[in-house]
Amino acid sequence: KECTEDEVSEVLKLNDDPRVHGVHLRLPPASLTSRVLNALKPEKDVDGISDLNMGRLVRGDLSKGFVPPRASAVMDLLEKHDTPLEGKTVLLIGGEGPFGVALQCLMERSGLVALKNQWSSKSLQSQVCACDSTYFTYFLCINPSVNHLLPVCLTGGCQHVALLLVLCSRWLQAQQYQPWHLQCLKLQPLTPVPSDIEISRAQTPKPVDQLAEEIGLLPEELEAYGRSKAKVRLSLLDRLHKQPDGKYVLVAGITPTPLGEGKSTVTIGLVQALSAHLKLNSFACLRQPSQGPTFGVKGGAAGGGYAQVIPMEEFNLHLTGDIHAITAANNLVAAAIDARMLHEATQSDKALFNRLVPSVNGVRRFSPIQISRLHRLGINKIDPASLTPQDVSTFVRLDLDPSKITWQRVVDTNDRFLRKITVGQASTEKGQMRETGFDIAVASEIMAILALADSLEDMRTRLARMVVGTSRSGQPVTAEDLGVSGALVVLMKDAIKPTLMQTLEGTPVFVHAGPFANIAHGNSSVLADKLALKLVGRDGFVVTEAGFGADIGMEKFFNIKCRTSGLRPDVVVLVATVRALKMHGGGSNVSAGAPLPREYIDENLSLVAGGCQSNLRKQIQIAHLFGVPVVVALNVFKTDTQAEIELVCQMAKESGASDAVPCHHWAQGGRGSLDLARAVNEAASRPSNFQFLYNIEMPIVEKIRTIATKVYGADDIELSPEAVAKIDYYNQQGYGSLPICMAKTHLSLSHMPDKKGVPTGFVLPIRDVRASIGAGFIYPLVGTMSTMPGLPTRPCFYDIDLDPVTEEITGLF
């Protein structure tokens, strides 16, 4: 009773400790002030005395929150009495405060008439005098039929047992898989369809904590970033590790035009149809968009029309800062490289050692990461004084070859003038000049690692083994050698958690990672998919998207992402458009920002048939190489005619698709993708015979050749002398068993962007071969791949602005 409100509030920090599942406040009634009760989280209020829990009890809602365990125990004892309770009168002596209110509510709900008296009532002296004064509270049930008093007593020991039992029961129940209670948002599509941002702003998203509760997430598994988005903690995987996975659906596409064919829009329309209309649990897993294309030429990536993620401006701008974390981590590595080279070039071994292992209070110690480096070097010593001069030299000298540094800086803006730069020009850098460059942030190997890691520990291991360059003796130098890997995982500790958002119809979406689809694998994260597969349950669906055409994004999804994650897809949804099929059937070139030629606007069945016979048929065959059924989703545009739509669907089925359906999600939302949802549900019910395209132990050259001939249709491959030398080096370093991540144009099945349809009779040139050892793949370069886009003459940022009064963003699309 001597505790102050401040002292009690300090204890209530236990609210935020996920290891604490309940808080029992053993305080006198006078100390249970509003400030104390309102500071206690209702889900941890095992006494059931907080305002919210008491309100639920008075209202009769016993499905949530806690009921005071003493009150529950009293009711259990009363119900065990031989005489039925209904119609009896109960006299409550004392029992003031929340406990008395709770007991009275429970009694009246059981059909009892509850009367209350104060302890000081003189009229009750004769009734209570026979009771043992050691009991905390007396409850007397008057039984008129036998005309006597039945004492029902609850001791302190009983209270603690009851409290513990309630807490354990509630905690165990919460740890189980929770069925969904998804409340979908209603859509009222308008004609003509407004702009994406107008549609997004017209729909009010559910609070993210409400969405999380609807899909079975616990409050402690959520880290809110504002009202409409939140990070989801990876502890969910431990809680639901025994829960069967749902069905796994990949959305890929035919070889696209430069305008894109709407894979993200199809993905969102499909999950809206599955969840909001077919009432099947479903989750979309999308990549996070880069600021570069958003302000450049492509625009946002939240979907479009009535099939998009909301709020779309938050989706497209910053989100929860993952790309910024990657930028910071990547550039920390770059800074560490140049600083280490400078210090090695200007200091003796002894001076380097004294600075790398400084004496603190007269004691010199290695840090854990330095001990790890010593062990890798074969120096099994932990006392700095025990190192020989040769040990010291080996330890302090990374001896990076400036001409063989592979690590570049990154920025999340399309800035073509950073593609090649010279660093070290200031006089303070003592002549340590070298050429380097910038990539766009999403091209960083750290982004690829984020997308492939399956735990914080796995990410730590991958970050440590990233190769940043080669020493003059030909040995790979890693982030662990630089001593920076621990700092990297600190910068990335929040980025590893997927971000929860929702579609226009209130169905859940995970937005996580956004690796480049040419030099990296171009898929959202393994962790987002794994979390979603547990949440949807056995009969639910997780729909994830692969970048670019099926020959790039889908092939990498299967051979890299599925190999890393252990997940196996059930269905491939192959997105096609009439305009892309016309291009592959012989139509003229399409350019972003330029008006479409007439053949893309007017009906032209011969061009459509040509595209179906070539590119569409080939992409279906590629999916069949992996043993996965294909459903073709024709993303319908307003210029498409009924004859063109029917022709595509017919020819797709003739080419081996399980089904082919037109989709109108852009104009109608989930209702416009109902046929697709039914087709996917049907295809997923059939057995899948998934298989990898190649054995991981095949030689690097043979893995490259297999992809080139079986997927792209090349006659063979041609390796440059540089590529041959790199392959030999990677084999010597033990990297030969890594999967292959081909870096080639997305605008053609071949390496020639202008070759549409299905090119044949070509040899695929491999000009160079590089490695992302941390991410875990070898990437051959086919042609010249730009990792830093440039801005067009008229970028998207011309239309983007902010209303200073309402703070509403305009111009995003």
Side-chain angles (χ1 to χ4, degrees):
K1 62 178 67 175
E2 292 79 13
C3 288
T4 65
E5 282 189 339
D6 289 338
E7 289 171 327
V8 175
S9 298
E10 186 73 18
V11 172
L12 291 181
K13 288 180 178 178
L14 293 168
N15 274 334
D16 301 318
D17 189 340
R19 298 167 298 176
V20 175
H21 306 110
V23 179
H24 165 48
L25 288 179
R26 194 166 182 180
L27 292 170
S31 298
L32 296 174
T33 63
S34 294
R35 178 182 170 190
V36 169
L37 292 178
N38 292 332
L40 184 60
K41 284 188 176 179
E43 62 269 19
K44 294 191 177 184
D45 168 29
V46 295
D47 292 308
I49 57 175
S50 65
D51 290 351
L52 182 56
N53 278 331
M54 289 302 301
R56 286 169 174 164
L57 179 61
V58 171
R59 196 178 64 219
D61 180 9
L62 303 181
S63 61
K64 297 179 181 178
F66 286 93
V67 176
R70 283 198 299 165
S72 296
V74 168
M75 292 306 301
D76 288 342
L77 290 171
L78 288 175
E79 288 166 358
K80 286 180 171 61
H81 194 255
D82 295 338
T83 308
L85 298 180
E86 189 170 357
K88 300 297 187 297
T89 300
V90 179
L91 177 63
L92 276 69
I93 305 171
E96 302 299 328
F99 170 56
V101 172
L103 185 57
Q104 186 173 359
C105 287
L106 291 174
M107 286 179 167
E108 291 176 349
R109 194 164 293 113
S110 298
L112 293 166
V113 177
L115 304 177
K116 295 186 69 173
N117 271 93
Q118 300 297 323
W119 279 105
S120 60
S121 175
K122 295 180 180 179
S123 63
L124 289 175
Q125 286 182 0
S126 60
Q127 297 177 357
V128 302
C129 63
C131 294
D132 188 337
S133 62
T134 60
Y135 294 124
F136 290 131
T137 316
Y138 302 92
F139 307 94
L140 304 175
C141 177
I142 300 175
N143 187 335
S145 64
V146 294
N147 195 26
H148 76 273
L149 298 176
L150 171 68
V152 182
C153 312
L154 186 66
T155 67
C158 295
Q159 174 191 349
H160 293 149
V161 171
L163 186 151
L164 183 61
L165 289 174
V166 169
L167 176 59
C168 290
S169 174
R170 182 66 57 85
W171 182 82
L172 287 170
Q173 183 181 1
Q175 299 308 300
Q176 306 304 310
Y177 176 79
Q178 302 298 316
W180 284 23
H181 302 285
L182 192 66
Q183 297 181 21
C184 295
L185 303 175
K186 299 298 181 184
L187 273 187
Q188 294 181 329
L190 300 177
T191 304
V193 177
S195 69
D196 291 350
I197 197 164
E198 288 174 322
I199 293 172
S200 173
R201 195 164 288 146
Q203 186 73 290
T204 301
K206 295 176 287 189
V208 71
D209 56 346
Q210 176 188 331
L211 173 64
E213 183 179 5
E214 290 173 358
I215 62 176
L217 284 164
L218 302 180
E220 60 264 28
E221 292 168 342
L222 208 67
E223 296 176 0
Y225 280 65
R227 183 181 180 276
S228 54
K229 57 186 183 293
K231 289 285 194 182
V232 174
R233 292 178 177 169
L234 305 186
S235 58
L236 172 68
L237 283 177
D238 295 327
R239 178 169 69 87
L240 298 182
H241 72 279
K242 293 183 179 179
Q243 171 67 21
D245 289 346
K247 303 290 175 52
Y248 198 29
V249 180
L250 174 70
V251 175
I254 65 171
T255 304
T257 68
L259 309 178
E261 310 317 307
K263 292 190 302 297
S264 298
T265 313
V266 169
T267 298
I268 298 163
L270 174 55
V271 295
Q272 288 182 162
L274 287 166
S275 287
H277 300 276
L278 296 186
K279 306 305 178 185
L280 297 168
N281 295 351
S282 71
F283 234 108
C285 291
L286 299 177
R287 288 182 293 167
Q288 180 182 348
S290 166
Q291 175 184 299
T294 299
F295 287 103
V297 66
K298 183 173 182 278
Y306 287 99
Q308 57 175 305
V309 182
I310 57 173
M312 69 90 80
E313 57 265 51
E314 293 188 26
F315 180 99
N316 286 311
L317 300 173
H318 304 298
L319 199 62
T320 49
D322 294 356
I323 293 179
H324 299 314
I326 289 165
T327 301
N330 185 101
N331 292 344
L332 179 61
V333 176
I337 291 170
D338 286 312
R340 185 60 175 263
M341 291 174 63
L342 169 68
H343 295 313
E344 288 190 24
T346 56
Q347 296 180 46
S348 66
D349 290 350
K350 183 178 180 181
L352 272 172
F353 187 73
N354 289 339
R355 286 176 172 84
L356 287 170
V357 193
S359 176
V360 179
N361 296 325
V363 179
R364 196 184 297 274
R365 290 191 180 94
F366 291 118
S367 69
I369 202 167
Q370 290 175 326
I371 292 174
S372 177
R373 171 165 166 76
L374 286 167
H375 288 166
R376 288 196 309 278
L377 293 171
I379 304 172
N380 296 314
K381 302 173 183 177
I382 59 172
D383 180 6
S386 65
L387 268 63
T388 67
Q390 181 59 47
D391 292 338
V392 168
S393 181
T394 304
F395 171 70
V396 300
R397 298 282 172 191
L398 299 182
D399 200 26
L400 273 160
D401 185 339
S403 67
K404 294 182 179 179
I405 292 172
T406 55
W407 197 264
Q408 301 211 114
R409 288 164 172 82
V410 298
V411 63
D412 198 34
T413 302
N414 292 359
D415 194 344
R416 67 174 71 242
F417 282 88
L418 292 177
R419 289 171 180 168
K420 180 173 283 190
I421 63 170
T422 301
V423 295
Q425 298 184 68
S427 59
T428 52
E429 312 320 323
K430 303 178 182 179
Q432 297 297 309
M433 284 196 302
R434 68 180 183 91
E435 282 192 351
T436 181
F438 273 76
D439 298 326
I440 197 165
V442 293
S444 170
E445 184 178 352
I446 297 177
M447 174 63 89
I449 287 173
L450 176 65
L452 290 172
D454 65 3
S455 67
L456 198 57
E457 180 60 31
D458 183 39
M459 185 172 71
R460 167 68 172 80
T461 302
R462 290 173 179 270
L463 291 170
R465 71 181 185 221
M466 292 187 305
V467 175
V468 302
T470 307
S471 71
R472 288 184 172 87
S473 62
Q475 295 303 308
V477 176
T478 66
E480 187 91 337
D481 292 322
L482 282 169
V484 74
S485 52
L488 298 182
V489 78
V490 168
L491 288 171
M492 295 292 294
K493 70 179 181 64
D494 294 317
I496 197 172
K497 303 165 190 172
T499 300
L500 176 65
M501 295 188 76
Q502 63 192 283
T503 70
L504 280 165
E505 298 191 55
T507 61
V509 178
F510 272 142
V511 187
H512 201 213
F516 248 32
N518 45 19
I519 65 164
H521 60 291
N523 292 272
S524 66
S525 77
V526 165
L527 279 169
D529 292 0
K530 284 189 171 184
L531 290 168
L533 284 165
K534 294 298 182 188
L535 285 169
V536 297
R538 186 193 301 273
D539 299 321
F541 289 83
V542 171
V543 184
T544 190
E545 175 195 349
F548 294 147
D551 56 306
I552 300 181
M554 184 183 71
E555 181 270 315
K556 295 175 182 179
F557 174 88
F558 289 147
N559 281 320
I560 298 175
K561 184 175 178 180
C562 288
R563 203 185 294 270
T564 299
S565 67
L567 300 174
R568 301 293 180 262
D570 295 285
V571 185
V572 166
V573 173
L574 191 66
V575 179
T577 61
V578 166
R579 75 180 180 198
L581 292 169
K582 286 180 176 179
M583 181 186 72
H584 291 296
S588 53
N589 288 333
V590 175
S591 300
L596 282 172
R598 289 305 310 177
E599 65 261 35
Y600 292 98
I601 300 172
D602 299 334
E603 182 175 287
N604 192 319
L605 295 179
S606 63
L607 287 180
V608 172
C612 289
Q613 290 170 349
S614 59
N615 199 268
L616 178 60
R617 182 189 300 272
K618 174 63 174 175
Q619 301 287 15
I620 293 171
Q621 291 171 353
I622 293 171
H624 287 164
L625 289 174
F626 297 91
V628 184
V630 179
V631 174
V632 171
L634 181 63
N635 188 14
V636 176
F637 288 20
K638 61 183 179 182
T639 54
D640 301 344
T641 68
Q642 189 59 36
E644 290 173 331
I645 293 169
E646 291 175 358
L647 179 61
V648 173
C649 293
Q650 174 191 339
M651 295 191 70
K653 294 175 187 176
E654 292 172 354
S655 298
S658 300
D659 206 345
V661 294
C663 301
H664 302 273
H665 45 271
W666 184 80
Q668 301 174 22
R671 191 171 300 282
S673 284
L674 272 171
D675 289 342
L676 176 61
R678 294 188 182 103
V680 168
N681 193 14
E682 170 65 23
S685 65
R686 302 171 190 165
S688 175
N689 300 308
F690 177 76
Q691 60 187 9
F692 294 116
L693 184 65
Y694 52 78
N695 186 315
I696 199 70
E697 298 301 329
M698 286 172 59
I700 293 175
V701 172
E702 290 308 311
K703 286 183 282 195
I704 298 172
R705 181 175 285 113
T706 299
I707 295 172
T709 56
K710 292 188 176 182
V711 177
Y712 307 153
D715 291 341
D716 202 353
I717 61 173
E718 182 180 24
L719 298 169
S720 71
E722 185 177 5
V724 172
K726 289 284 190 68
I727 291 173
D728 290 342
Y729 173 75
Y730 295 142
N731 284 327
Q732 291 169 12
Q733 296 299 327
Y735 305 146
S737 61
L738 293 177
I740 302 300
C741 185
M742 298 289 279
K744 82 169 186 70
T745 178
H746 62 287
L747 296 175
S748 172
L749 281 163
S750 72
H751 60 288
M752 301 166 282
D754 58 330
K755 299 295 182 182
K756 307 303 181 185
V758 181
T760 57
F762 67 95
V763 174
L764 193 75
I766 309 298
R767 70 174 182 85
D768 195 5
V769 178
R770 298 177 186 172
S772 291
I773 304 304
F777 52 72
I778 303 289
Y779 62 99
L781 298 180
V782 182
T784 302
M785 304 303 302
S786 174
T787 55
M788 172 55 80
L791 289 172
T793 304
R794 192 187 189 282
C796 295
F797 61 63
Y798 274 82
D799 302 307
I800 297 171
D801 206 343
L802 183 77
D803 186 317
V805 177
T806 65
E807 295 189 8
E808 287 189 342
I809 297 169
T810 58
L812 275 176
F813 66 92

